[in-house]
Amino acid sequence: MHEMSLCESIVQILEEQAREQQFARVRRVVLEIGALSAVDTRALRFCFDAVTERTLAAGAALDIHELPGLAWCLPCGAQVEVAQRHDACPRCGGHQTVVQGGEDMRIKELEVD
Ligand SMILES: [Zn+2]
């Protein structure tokens, strides 16, 4: 499952950070997930609990901030929000849009001990 490997890479990042910054436990992880990243946040939460069990992040809270998908609409000459990659422009209904943001997932904040 896609979300399972995402959680495994999150744990890897946490372990690297723990070594660099000398903390032993992670209390809270704040993730930013773009609407166009194709990440199922419910599945991600489920996997997070399973994957972090017996790691430095066991029992850590997971906060997910969903960011809107952003696209540049050529006819409008403006940046617009889209919920999905191939959505029409909400202003003009056109499909001449170029995705500009909301495709990534990143760790925004950590609360550690
Ligand atoms: Zn438009």
Side-chain angles (χ1 to χ4, degrees):
M1 198 193 296
H2 176 54
E3 281 72 17
M4 192 62 95
S5 57
L6 280 177
C7 287
E8 281 163 1
S9 48
I10 291 170
V11 169
Q12 266 177 16
I13 293 169
L14 297 180
E15 284 171 349
E16 281 165 23
Q17 295 273 310
R19 271 195 298 275
E20 277 173 30
Q21 298 177 34
Q22 318 260 309
F23 57 79
R25 301 258 320 145
V26 177
R27 294 282 171 209
R28 177 185 300 276
V29 179
V30 182
L31 290 181
E32 277 187 342
I33 298 180
L36 309 181
S37 64
V39 175
D40 180 336
T41 54
R42 270 203 312 194
L44 189 74
R45 277 183 192 285
F46 179 79
C47 294
F48 184 81
D49 286 343
V51 169
T52 56
E53 213 180 18
R54 283 191 273 275
T55 71
L56 75 172
L62 180 64
D63 283 354
I64 295 179
H65 295 183
E66 289 188 63
L67 301 181
L70 294 175
W72 182 260
C73 176
L74 297 172
C76 293
Q79 195 176 56
V80 295
E81 284 190 13
V82 291
Q84 279 165 25
R85 187 170 297 275
H86 299 293
D87 273 8
C89 167
R91 291 199 193 186
C92 68
H95 282 273
Q96 288 171 272
T97 54
V98 182
V99 169
Q100 286 195 311
E103 296 179 287
D104 309 318
M105 182 187 86
R106 68 184 191 99
I107 298 173
K108 186 168 180 255
E109 263 177 65
L110 291 179
E111 240 177 70
V112 300
D113 284 343

